[in-house]
């Protein structure tokens, strides 16, 4: 089974790289380009974080980096910087509508039932014409 993996192009990486956080405390960081490509792969494909292909590195690293940078507002700042540089448009519409309907939302057991109006029932008119 062949997977189509998403990798940032050289042009996209050159636009993103100057905006990455530098001199962060902690363990030595893994390749940012690989991690961001993994994050974008998960967001584009809709797979679970734990199902992220191993080519991008450990799935926990991908997930933790996304969460940490989201809490710090990194993605918003990056989008603003890329929009100012003209690399992307700032206004983009994404429709990710998801509505869960219960079984009873269709009309319940037996479907819709037609009822005669009170006026027709009192007049005694037949339901159908012969």
């Amino acid at each position: 089974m062949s997977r189509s993996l998403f990798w940032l192009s050289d042009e996209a990486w050159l636009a993103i790289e100057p905006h990455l956080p530098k001199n962060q405390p902690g363990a030595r960081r893994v390749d940012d380009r690989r991690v961001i490509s993994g994050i974008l792969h998960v967001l584009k494909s809709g797979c679970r974080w734990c199902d992220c292909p191993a080519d991008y590195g450990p799935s926990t690293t991908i997930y933790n980096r996304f969460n940490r940078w989201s809490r710090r507002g990194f993605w918003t700042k990056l989008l603003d910087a890329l929009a100012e540089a003209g690399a992307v448009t700032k206004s983009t519409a994404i429709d990710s509508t998801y509505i869960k309907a219960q079984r009873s939302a269709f009309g319940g057991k037996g479907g819709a039932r037609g009822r005669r109006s009170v006026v027709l029932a009192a007049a005694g008119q037949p339901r159908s014409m012969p």
Side-chain angles (χ1 to χ4, degrees):
M1 177 173 124
S2 97
R3 295 183 275 191
S4 59
L5 300 178
F6 174 82
W7 294 103
L8 286 170
S9 66
D10 291 336
E11 181 182 322
W13 180 245
L14 289 175
I16 292 172
E17 188 177 23
H19 305 289
L20 294 176
K22 303 280 192 265
N23 300 326
Q24 297 293 314
R28 188 181 63 82
R29 287 173 41 151
V30 296
D31 182 23
D32 285 327
R33 185 173 184 172
R34 186 176 73 167
V35 171
I36 292 174
S37 294
I39 290 169
L40 293 175
H41 174 82
V42 170
L43 296 177
K44 284 179 68 168
S45 69
C47 70
R48 299 180 307 170
W49 292 104
C50 63
D51 293 334
C52 184
D55 295 351
Y56 297 120
S59 59
T60 52
T61 301
I62 309 292
Y63 173 75
N64 289 337
R65 184 83 54 92
F66 176 76
N67 270 341
R68 195 175 305 120
W69 284 0
S70 293
R71 283 192 305 265
R72 293 179 185 162
F74 167 75
W75 300 111
T76 306
K77 293 173 192 170
L78 177 63
L79 178 62
D80 290 342
L82 292 175
E84 286 176 16
V88 296
T89 58
K90 186 156 183 169
S91 61
T92 303
I94 300 173
D95 182 16
S96 61
T97 306
Y98 175 78
I99 299 172
K100 183 177 180 182
Q102 300 295 326
R103 286 191 315 185
S104 61
F106 183 66
K109 281 188 173 179
R113 296 184 189 138
R115 295 186 181 182
R116 294 177 67 190
S117 70
V118 176
V119 174
L120 290 178
Q125 292 183 350
R127 288 183 161 217
S128 62
M129 302 297 282

